[in-house]
Coordinates of all heavy atoms in Angstrom, one line a residue:
N2 N 0.8 -1.2 0.0 CA 0.0 0.0 0.0 C 0.9 1.3 0.0 O 1.8 1.4 0.8 CB -0.9 0.0 1.2 CG -2.0 -1.0 1.2 OD1 -2.4 -1.5 0.1 ND2 -2.5 -1.4 2.3
I3 N 0.5 2.2 -0.8 CA 1.2 3.4 -0.9 C 0.3 4.5 -0.2 O -0.8 4.7 -0.6 CB 1.5 3.9 -2.3 CG1 2.4 2.9 -3.0 CG2 2.1 5.3 -2.3 CD1 2.7 3.2 -4.4
L4 N 0.9 5.1 0.8 CA 0.1 6.2 1.5 C 0.3 7.5 0.8 O 1.5 7.9 0.5 CB 0.6 6.3 3.0 CG 0.4 5.1 3.8 CD1 1.0 5.4 5.2 CD2 -1.1 4.8 4.0
K5 N -0.7 8.2 0.5 CA -0.6 9.5 -0.1 C -0.6 10.6 1.0 O -1.4 10.6 1.9 CB -1.8 9.7 -1.0 CG -1.8 8.9 -2.2 CD -3.0 9.2 -3.2 CE -2.9 8.3 -4.4 NZ -4.0 8.6 -5.3
H6 N 0.4 11.4 0.9 CA 0.6 12.5 1.8 C 0.0 13.7 1.3 O 0.4 14.2 0.2 CB 2.1 12.7 2.1 CG 2.4 13.8 3.1 ND1 2.1 13.8 4.4 CD2 2.8 15.0 2.8 CE1 2.4 14.9 5.0 NE2 2.9 15.7 4.0
R7 N -0.9 14.3 2.0 CA -1.5 15.5 1.6 C -1.0 16.7 2.4 O -1.1 16.6 3.6 CB -3.0 15.4 1.7 CG -3.7 16.7 1.2 CD -5.2 16.5 1.2 NE -5.8 17.8 0.8 CZ -7.0 18.1 0.8 NH1 -7.9 17.2 1.1 NH2 -7.5 19.2 0.4
T8 N -0.4 17.6 1.8 CA 0.2 18.8 2.5 C -0.9 19.7 2.9 O -1.8 20.1 2.1 CB 1.2 19.5 1.6 OG1 2.2 18.6 1.1 CG2 1.8 20.7 2.3
V9 N -0.9 20.1 4.1 CA -1.9 21.1 4.7 C -1.2 22.4 4.7 O -0.2 22.6 5.4 CB -2.4 20.7 6.1 CG1 -3.3 21.7 6.6 CG2 -3.0 19.3 6.0
Y10 N -1.8 23.4 4.0 CA -1.2 24.7 4.0 C -1.9 25.6 5.1 O -3.1 25.4 5.3 CB -1.3 25.4 2.6 CG -0.4 24.7 1.7 CD1 -0.9 23.7 0.8 CD2 0.9 24.9 1.6 CE1 -0.1 23.1 -0.1 CE2 1.8 24.3 0.7 CZ 1.2 23.4 -0.1 OH 2.1 22.7 -1.0
K11 N -1.1 26.5 5.6 CA -1.6 27.4 6.7 C -1.8 28.8 6.1 O -1.2 29.2 5.2 CB -0.6 27.5 7.8 CG -0.1 26.2 8.4 CD -1.2 25.5 9.1 CE -0.6 24.2 9.7 NZ -1.6 23.4 10.3
I12 N -2.7 29.5 6.8 CA -2.9 30.9 6.5 C -2.5 31.7 7.7 O -2.8 31.3 8.9 CB -4.4 31.2 6.2 CG1 -5.0 30.4 5.1 CG2 -4.7 32.7 6.0 CD1 -4.4 30.6 3.8
I13 N -1.7 32.7 7.6 CA -1.2 33.5 8.7 C -2.0 34.7 8.9 O -2.0 35.6 8.0 CB 0.3 33.8 8.6 CG1 1.1 32.6 8.3 CG2 0.8 34.6 9.8 CD1 2.6 32.8 7.9
K14 N -2.8 34.7 9.9 CA -3.8 35.8 10.1 C -3.4 36.8 11.2 O -2.8 36.5 12.2 CB -5.1 35.2 10.6 CG -5.8 34.3 9.6 CD -7.1 33.7 10.2 CE -7.7 32.6 9.3 NZ -8.8 32.0 9.9
N15 N -3.7 38.1 10.9 CA -3.5 39.1 11.9 C -5.0 39.4 12.4 O -5.8 40.0 11.7 CB -3.0 40.4 11.2 CG -2.8 41.5 12.2 OD1 -3.4 41.5 13.3 ND2 -2.0 42.5 11.9
I16 N -5.2 38.9 13.6 CA -6.6 38.9 14.1 C -7.0 40.3 14.5 O -8.2 40.6 14.6 CB -6.8 37.9 15.3 CG1 -5.9 38.2 16.4 CG2 -6.7 36.5 14.8 CD1 -6.2 37.4 17.6
S17 N -6.1 41.2 14.7 CA -6.4 42.6 15.1 C -7.0 43.4 14.0 O -7.9 44.2 14.2 CB -5.2 43.3 15.8 OG -4.2 43.5 14.8
N18 N -6.6 43.1 12.8 CA -7.1 43.9 11.6 C -7.7 43.0 10.6 O -8.1 43.4 9.5 CB -6.1 44.8 11.0 CG -4.9 44.1 10.4 OD1 -4.9 42.9 10.3 ND2 -3.9 44.9 10.1
K19 N -7.8 41.7 10.9 CA -8.5 40.7 10.0 C -7.8 40.6 8.6 O -8.5 40.5 7.6 CB -10.0 40.9 9.9 CG -10.7 40.9 11.2 CD -12.1 41.1 11.1 CE -12.8 41.1 12.5 NZ -14.1 41.5 12.5
T20 N -6.5 40.6 8.5 CA -5.8 40.5 7.3 C -4.9 39.2 7.4 O -4.8 38.6 8.4 CB -4.9 41.7 7.0 OG1 -3.9 41.8 8.0 CG2 -5.7 43.0 6.8
V21 N -4.4 38.8 6.2 CA -3.5 37.6 6.2 C -2.2 38.0 5.5 O -2.1 39.0 4.7 CB -4.1 36.5 5.4 CG1 -5.4 36.0 6.2 CG2 -4.5 36.8 4.0
L22 N -1.1 37.2 5.7 CA 0.2 37.5 5.1 C 0.2 36.9 3.7 O -0.2 35.7 3.5 CB 1.3 37.0 5.9 CG 1.6 37.7 7.2 CD1 2.9 37.0 7.9 CD2 1.8 39.2 7.0
A23 N 0.8 37.6 2.8 CA 1.0 37.1 1.4 C 2.4 37.4 0.9 O 2.8 38.5 1.2 CB -0.1 37.7 0.5
A24 N 3.0 36.5 0.2 CA 4.3 36.8 -0.4 C 4.0 37.5 -1.8 O 3.0 37.3 -2.4 CB 5.0 35.5 -0.7
T25 N 4.9 38.4 -2.1 CA 4.8 39.1 -3.4 C 5.9 38.6 -4.4 O 6.8 37.8 -4.0 CB 5.0 40.6 -3.2 OG1 6.3 40.9 -2.8 CG2 4.0 41.1 -2.2
D26 N 5.8 39.0 -5.6 CA 6.8 38.7 -6.6 C 8.2 39.2 -6.3 O 9.2 38.7 -6.8 CB 6.4 39.2 -8.0 CG 5.2 38.4 -8.5 OD1 5.1 37.2 -8.2 OD2 4.3 39.0 -9.2
N27 N 8.3 40.3 -5.6 CA 9.6 40.9 -5.3 C 10.1 40.5 -3.9 O 10.9 41.3 -3.3 CB 9.6 42.4 -5.5 CG 8.6 43.0 -4.5 OD1 7.9 42.4 -3.8 ND2 8.5 44.4 -4.6
F28 N 9.7 39.4 -3.4 CA 10.2 38.8 -2.1 C 9.7 39.5 -0.8 O 10.1 39.2 0.3 CB 11.7 38.6 -2.0 CG 12.3 37.9 -3.2 CD1 13.0 38.5 -4.2 CD2 12.0 36.5 -3.3 CE1 13.5 37.8 -5.2 CE2 12.6 35.8 -4.4 CZ 13.3 36.5 -5.4
M29 N 8.8 40.5 -1.0 CA 8.3 41.2 0.1 C 7.1 40.4 0.6 O 6.5 39.5 0.0 CB 7.8 42.6 -0.3 CG 9.0 43.5 -0.8 SD 10.4 43.6 0.3 CE 9.7 44.6 1.7
V30 N 6.6 40.8 1.8 CA 5.5 40.2 2.4 C 4.5 41.3 2.8 O 4.9 42.3 3.4 CB 5.8 39.4 3.7 CG1 4.6 38.8 4.4 CG2 6.8 38.2 3.4
N31 N 3.2 41.1 2.3 CA 2.2 42.1 2.6 C 1.0 41.5 3.3 O 0.8 40.3 3.3 CB 1.7 42.7 1.2 CG 2.7 43.5 0.5 OD1 3.6 44.1 1.1 ND2 2.6 43.4 -0.8
E32 N 0.3 42.4 3.9 CA -1.0 42.0 4.5 C -2.1 42.3 3.6 O -2.1 43.4 2.9 CB -1.2 42.7 5.9 CG -0.3 42.2 7.0 CD -0.7 42.9 8.3 OE1 -1.8 42.7 8.8 OE2 0.2 43.5 8.9
G33 N -3.1 41.4 3.5 CA -4.2 41.7 2.6 C -5.5 41.0 3.1 O -5.4 40.2 4.0
I34 N -6.5 41.2 2.3 CA -7.8 40.5 2.6 C -7.7 39.0 2.1 O -7.2 38.8 1.1 CB -8.9 41.2 1.9 CG1 -9.1 42.6 2.4 CG2 -10.3 40.5 2.1 CD1 -10.0 43.5 1.7
F35 N -8.2 38.1 3.0 CA -8.1 36.7 2.6 C -8.8 36.4 1.3 O -9.9 36.8 1.1 CB -8.7 35.9 3.8 CG -8.8 34.4 3.5 CD1 -7.6 33.7 3.4 CD2 -10.0 33.8 3.3 CE1 -7.7 32.3 3.1 CE2 -10.0 32.4 3.1 CZ -8.9 31.7 2.9
N36 N -8.2 35.6 0.5 CA -8.7 35.0 -0.7 C -8.4 33.5 -0.8 O -7.2 33.2 -0.9 CB -8.1 35.7 -1.9 CG -8.6 35.2 -3.3 OD1 -9.2 34.1 -3.3 ND2 -8.3 35.9 -4.3
Q37 N -9.3 32.7 -0.6 CA -9.1 31.2 -0.5 C -8.4 30.6 -1.7 O -7.8 29.6 -1.7 CB -10.3 30.5 -0.2 CG -11.3 30.4 -1.4 CD -12.6 29.6 -1.0 OE1 -12.9 29.5 0.2 NE2 -13.3 29.2 -2.0
N38 N -8.4 31.3 -2.9 CA -7.7 30.8 -4.1 C -6.4 31.4 -4.3 O -5.8 31.1 -5.4 CB -8.6 31.1 -5.3 CG -10.0 30.4 -5.2 OD1 -10.0 29.2 -4.8 ND2 -11.0 31.0 -5.5
D39 N -5.9 32.2 -3.4 CA -4.6 32.9 -3.6 C -3.4 32.1 -3.0 O -3.3 32.0 -1.8 CB -4.7 34.3 -3.0 CG -3.5 35.2 -3.3 OD1 -2.5 34.7 -3.8 OD2 -3.5 36.4 -2.9
S40 N -2.6 31.5 -3.9 CA -1.5 30.7 -3.4 C -0.4 31.6 -2.7 O 0.4 31.1 -1.9 CB -0.8 29.9 -4.5 OG -0.3 30.8 -5.5
Q41 N -0.4 32.9 -2.9 CA 0.5 33.8 -2.2 C 0.2 33.9 -0.8 O 1.1 34.3 0.0 CB 0.5 35.1 -2.9 CG 1.1 35.1 -4.3 CD 1.0 36.5 -5.0 OE1 -0.1 37.1 -5.1 NE2 2.1 37.0 -5.4
Q42 N -1.0 33.5 -0.3 CA -1.4 33.6 1.1 C -1.2 32.2 1.8 O -1.6 32.1 2.9 CB -2.8 34.1 1.2 CG -3.0 35.4 0.6 CD -4.5 35.9 0.7 OE1 -5.4 35.1 1.0 NE2 -4.7 37.1 0.4
R43 N -0.7 31.2 1.1 CA -0.6 29.9 1.7 C 0.8 29.6 2.1 O 1.7 29.8 1.4 CB -1.1 28.8 0.8 CG -2.6 29.0 0.5 CD -3.2 27.9 -0.4 NE -4.5 28.1 -0.8 CZ -5.6 28.0 -0.1 NH1 -5.5 27.6 1.1 NH2 -6.8 28.3 -0.6
W44 N 0.9 29.0 3.4 CA 2.2 28.7 3.9 C 2.3 27.3 4.5 O 1.3 26.8 5.0 CB 2.5 29.7 5.1 CG 2.4 31.1 4.7 CD1 1.3 31.9 4.6 CD2 3.5 32.0 4.3 NE1 1.6 33.2 4.2 CE2 3.0 33.2 4.0 CE3 4.9 31.7 4.2 CZ2 3.8 34.3 3.5 CZ3 5.7 32.8 3.7 CH2 5.1 34.0 3.4
M45 N 3.4 26.7 4.3 CA 3.6 25.3 4.8 C 4.5 25.3 6.0 O 5.6 25.9 5.9 CB 4.2 24.4 3.7 CG 4.3 23.0 4.2 SD 4.9 21.9 2.9 CE 6.5 22.6 2.6
K46 N 4.1 24.8 7.1 CA 4.9 24.7 8.3 C 5.9 23.6 8.2 O 5.5 22.4 7.9 CB 4.0 24.5 9.6 CG 4.8 24.4 10.9 CD 3.9 24.2 12.0 CE 4.8 24.0 13.3 NZ 3.9 23.6 14.4
G47 N 7.2 23.9 8.4 CA 8.2 22.9 8.4 C 8.3 22.1 9.7 O 7.6 22.4 10.6
V48 N 9.2 21.1 9.7 CA 9.4 20.3 10.9 C 10.2 21.1 11.9 O 11.2 21.8 11.6 CB 10.2 19.0 10.5 CG1 10.5 18.2 11.7 CG2 9.5 18.2 9.4
E49 N 9.8 21.0 13.2 CA 10.5 21.7 14.3 C 11.8 21.1 14.5 O 12.0 19.9 14.4 CB 9.6 21.6 15.6 CG 8.4 22.4 15.6 CD 7.6 22.3 16.9 OE1 8.3 22.1 17.9 OE2 6.4 22.6 16.9
N50 N 12.8 21.9 14.8 CA 14.1 21.4 15.2 C 14.2 21.1 16.7 O 13.1 21.3 17.4 CB 15.2 22.4 14.7 CG 15.2 23.7 15.5 OD1 14.6 23.9 16.5 ND2 16.0 24.7 15.0
S51 N 15.3 20.8 17.2 CA 15.4 20.4 18.6 C 15.1 21.6 19.6 O 14.8 21.3 20.7 CB 16.8 19.9 18.9 OG 17.8 20.9 18.7
E52 N 15.1 22.8 19.1 CA 14.8 24.0 19.9 C 13.4 24.4 19.7 O 13.0 25.4 20.3 CB 15.8 25.1 19.6 CG 17.3 24.7 20.0 CD 18.2 25.8 19.5 OE1 17.9 26.7 18.8 OE2 19.4 25.7 20.0
G53 N 12.6 23.8 18.9 CA 11.2 24.1 18.7 C 11.0 25.1 17.6 O 9.9 25.5 17.3
Y54 N 12.1 25.5 16.9 CA 11.9 26.4 15.7 C 11.5 25.7 14.5 O 11.9 24.5 14.3 CB 13.2 27.2 15.5 CG 13.6 28.1 16.6 CD1 14.6 27.8 17.5 CD2 13.0 29.4 16.7 CE1 15.0 28.6 18.5 CE2 13.4 30.2 17.7 CZ 14.4 29.8 18.6 OH 14.7 30.7 19.7
F55 N 10.8 26.4 13.6 CA 10.4 25.7 12.3 C 10.3 26.8 11.3 O 10.3 28.0 11.6 CB 9.0 25.1 12.5 CG 7.9 26.0 13.0 CD1 7.2 26.7 12.1 CD2 7.7 26.1 14.3 CE1 6.2 27.6 12.5 CE2 6.7 27.0 14.8 CZ 5.9 27.7 13.9
T56 N 10.3 26.4 10.0 CA 10.2 27.3 8.9 C 8.7 27.4 8.4 O 7.9 26.5 8.7 CB 11.1 26.9 7.7 OG1 10.7 25.6 7.3 CG2 12.5 26.9 8.1
L57 N 8.4 28.5 7.8 CA 7.2 28.7 7.1 C 7.5 29.0 5.6 O 8.1 30.1 5.3 CB 6.4 29.9 7.7 CG 5.8 29.6 9.1 CD1 5.3 30.9 9.7 CD2 4.7 28.5 9.0
T58 N 7.2 28.1 4.7 CA 7.5 28.2 3.3 C 6.2 28.6 2.5 O 5.2 28.0 2.7 CB 8.0 26.9 2.8 OG1 9.2 26.5 3.5 CG2 8.5 27.0 1.3
N59 N 6.4 29.6 1.7 CA 5.2 30.1 0.9 C 5.0 29.2 -0.3 O 5.9 28.8 -1.0 CB 5.5 31.5 0.5 CG 4.3 32.1 -0.3 OD1 4.3 32.1 -1.5 ND2 3.3 32.6 0.5
L60 N 3.7 28.8 -0.5 CA 3.3 27.9 -1.6 C 3.7 28.6 -3.0 O 4.2 27.9 -3.8 CB 1.9 27.6 -1.5 CG 1.3 26.9 -2.7 CD1 1.9 25.5 -2.8 CD2 -0.2 26.7 -2.6
Y61 N 3.4 29.8 -3.1 CA 3.6 30.6 -4.4 C 5.1 30.7 -4.7 O 5.5 30.3 -5.8 CB 2.9 31.9 -4.3 CG 3.2 32.8 -5.5 CD1 2.5 32.6 -6.7 CD2 4.1 33.8 -5.4 CE1 2.7 33.4 -7.8 CE2 4.4 34.7 -6.5 CZ 3.7 34.5 -7.7 OH 3.9 35.3 -8.8
S62 N 5.9 31.3 -3.8 CA 7.3 31.6 -4.1 C 8.2 30.4 -3.8 O 9.4 30.5 -4.2 CB 7.7 32.8 -3.3 OG 7.7 32.5 -1.9
Q63 N 7.8 29.5 -2.9 CA 8.7 28.4 -2.4 C 9.8 29.0 -1.6 O 10.9 28.4 -1.5 CB 9.2 27.5 -3.6 CG 8.0 26.8 -4.2 CD 7.3 25.8 -3.2 OE1 8.0 24.9 -2.7 NE2 6.1 26.0 -3.0
K64 N 9.6 30.2 -1.1 CA 10.7 30.8 -0.2 C 10.2 30.8 1.2 O 9.0 30.7 1.5 CB 10.9 32.3 -0.7 CG 11.2 32.5 -2.1 CD 12.7 32.2 -2.3 CE 13.1 32.5 -3.8 NZ 14.2 31.8 -4.2
V65 N 11.1 31.0 2.1 CA 10.9 30.9 3.6 C 10.6 32.3 4.1 O 11.3 33.3 3.8 CB 12.1 30.3 4.3 CG1 11.9 30.2 5.8 CG2 12.3 28.9 3.7
L66 N 9.6 32.4 5.0 CA 9.3 33.7 5.7 C 10.5 34.0 6.6 O 10.9 33.2 7.4 CB 8.0 33.5 6.5 CG 7.5 34.7 7.2 CD1 7.1 35.8 6.2 CD2 6.3 34.4 8.1
T67 N 11.0 35.2 6.5 CA 12.2 35.7 7.2 C 12.0 37.1 7.8 O 11.5 38.0 7.1 CB 13.4 35.7 6.3 OG1 13.5 34.5 5.7 CG2 14.7 36.1 7.0
A68 N 12.3 37.2 9.1 CA 12.2 38.6 9.7 C 13.5 39.3 9.3 O 14.6 38.8 9.6 CB 12.1 38.5 11.2
T69 N 13.4 40.5 8.8 CA 14.5 41.3 8.4 C 14.8 42.4 9.4 O 15.8 43.0 9.3 CB 14.4 41.8 7.0 OG1 13.2 42.6 6.9 CG2 14.4 40.7 6.0
S70 N 13.8 42.7 10.2 CA 13.9 43.7 11.3 C 12.8 43.4 12.3 O 12.0 42.4 12.0 CB 13.9 45.1 10.8 OG 12.6 45.4 10.4
K71 N 12.7 44.2 13.3 CA 11.7 43.9 14.3 C 10.2 44.1 13.8 O 9.3 43.6 14.3 CB 11.9 44.7 15.6 CG 11.6 46.2 15.4 CD 11.8 46.9 16.7 CE 11.4 48.4 16.5 NZ 11.1 49.0 17.8
D72 N 10.1 44.8 12.6 CA 8.8 45.0 12.1 C 8.7 44.9 10.6 O 7.9 45.4 9.9 CB 8.2 46.4 12.5 CG 9.1 47.5 12.2 OD1 10.2 47.3 11.5 OD2 8.8 48.7 12.5
S73 N 9.6 44.0 10.0 CA 9.6 43.8 8.6 C 9.9 42.3 8.3 O 10.7 41.7 8.9 CB 10.7 44.6 8.0 OG 10.8 44.5 6.6
L74 N 9.1 41.8 7.3 CA 9.2 40.4 6.9 C 9.5 40.4 5.4 O 9.0 41.2 4.6 CB 7.9 39.7 7.2 CG 7.5 39.5 8.6 CD1 6.1 39.0 8.7 CD2 8.5 38.6 9.4
E75 N 10.2 39.3 4.9 CA 10.5 39.0 3.5 C 10.5 37.5 3.4 O 10.4 36.8 4.3 CB 11.9 39.6 3.1 CG 12.0 41.0 3.1 CD 13.4 41.5 2.6 OE1 14.2 40.6 2.2 OE2 13.7 42.7 2.6
T76 N 10.5 37.1 2.1 CA 10.7 35.7 1.8 C 12.0 35.6 1.2 O 12.5 36.4 0.4 CB 9.6 35.1 0.9 OG1 9.6 35.9 -0.3 CG2 8.2 35.1 1.5
K77 N 12.8 34.5 1.6 CA 14.1 34.3 1.1 C 14.3 32.8 0.9 O 13.6 32.0 1.5 CB 15.1 34.8 2.2 CG 15.1 36.3 2.4 CD 16.2 36.7 3.2 CE 16.3 38.2 3.3 NZ 17.5 38.7 3.9
G78 N 15.3 32.5 0.1 CA 15.7 31.1 -0.1 C 16.3 30.5 1.2 O 16.9 31.3 2.0
I79 N 16.1 29.2 1.4 CA 16.5 28.6 2.6 C 18.0 28.4 2.6 O 18.6 28.0 1.6 CB 15.7 27.3 2.9 CG1 16.0 26.9 4.3 CG2 16.0 26.3 1.9 CD1 15.0 25.9 4.8
N80 N 18.7 28.6 3.7 CA 20.1 28.3 3.9 C 20.2 27.2 4.9 O 20.0 27.3 6.0 CB 20.8 29.5 4.4 CG 22.3 29.3 4.4 OD1 22.8 28.2 4.4 ND2 23.1 30.5 4.4
S81 N 20.6 26.0 4.4 CA 20.6 24.8 5.2 C 21.6 24.8 6.4 O 21.5 24.1 7.3 CB 21.0 23.6 4.4 OG 22.2 23.7 3.8
Q82 N 22.5 25.8 6.5 CA 23.4 25.9 7.6 C 22.7 26.2 8.9 O 23.2 25.9 10.0 CB 24.5 26.9 7.4 CG 24.1 28.3 7.6 CD 25.2 29.3 7.3 OE1 26.1 29.0 6.5 NE2 25.2 30.4 8.0
Y83 N 21.5 26.7 8.8 CA 20.8 27.1 10.0 C 19.9 26.0 10.5 O 19.2 26.1 11.5 CB 19.9 28.4 9.8 CG 20.8 29.5 9.4 CD1 20.8 30.1 8.1 CD2 21.6 30.1 10.3 CE1 21.6 31.2 7.8 CE2 22.4 31.2 10.0 CZ 22.4 31.7 8.7 OH 23.2 32.8 8.4
F84 N 19.8 24.9 9.8 CA 18.8 23.8 10.2 C 19.5 22.5 10.4 O 20.2 21.9 9.9 CB 17.7 23.7 9.1 CG 17.0 25.0 9.0 CD1 17.2 25.9 8.0 CD2 16.0 25.3 9.9 CE1 16.6 27.0 7.9 CE2 15.3 26.5 9.8 CZ 15.6 27.4 8.8

């Protein structure tokens, strides 16, 4: 028997203003109104490491959500030295 693995994608919501995070074509991350058909708003949670950290990979860009400052997010290619 072959088990089929179905990936479950997450939506990252800002409950204070009812928006969701979306990756853009230029690696930026924006907040916008939820659209169930928008792959830019879908994220896949990676496996936790020994310290409990995990990655969030965007379905559209296949890039990882990255904090670039205390109030700025981007998507970037993954660097395996950190995992």
Side-chain angles (χ1 to χ4, degrees):
N2 290 337
I3 297 175
L4 296 176
K5 291 185 179 182
H6 177 72
R7 183 174 177 184
T8 303
V9 176
Y10 292 100
K11 309 291 185 187
I12 304 298
I13 304 172
K14 297 177 185 176
N15 180 339
I16 58 172
S17 64
N18 64 8
K19 300 180 182 176
T20 59
V21 298
L22 289 185
T25 67
D26 290 326
N27 60 356
F28 307 110
M29 301 304 293
V30 176
N31 294 328
E32 289 185 57
I34 297 170
F35 175 66
N36 175 347
Q37 69 181 22
N38 298 318
D39 187 351
S40 64
Q41 292 176 303
Q42 297 177 351
R43 296 188 189 280
W44 303 85
M45 183 177 64
K46 181 181 174 185
V48 178
E49 289 185 22
N50 68 12
S51 61
E52 297 176 345
Y54 295 102
F55 56 89
T56 58
L57 290 169
T58 304
N59 184 261
L60 173 63
Y61 173 79
S62 69
Q63 295 298 301
K64 304 280 185 202
V65 177
L66 184 63
T67 305
T69 55
S70 71
K71 69 177 186 162
D72 54 3
S73 181
L74 298 170
E75 291 182 7
T76 56
K77 294 188 176 194
I79 192 164
N80 186 338
S81 61
Q82 78 179 31
Y83 298 111
F84 300 98

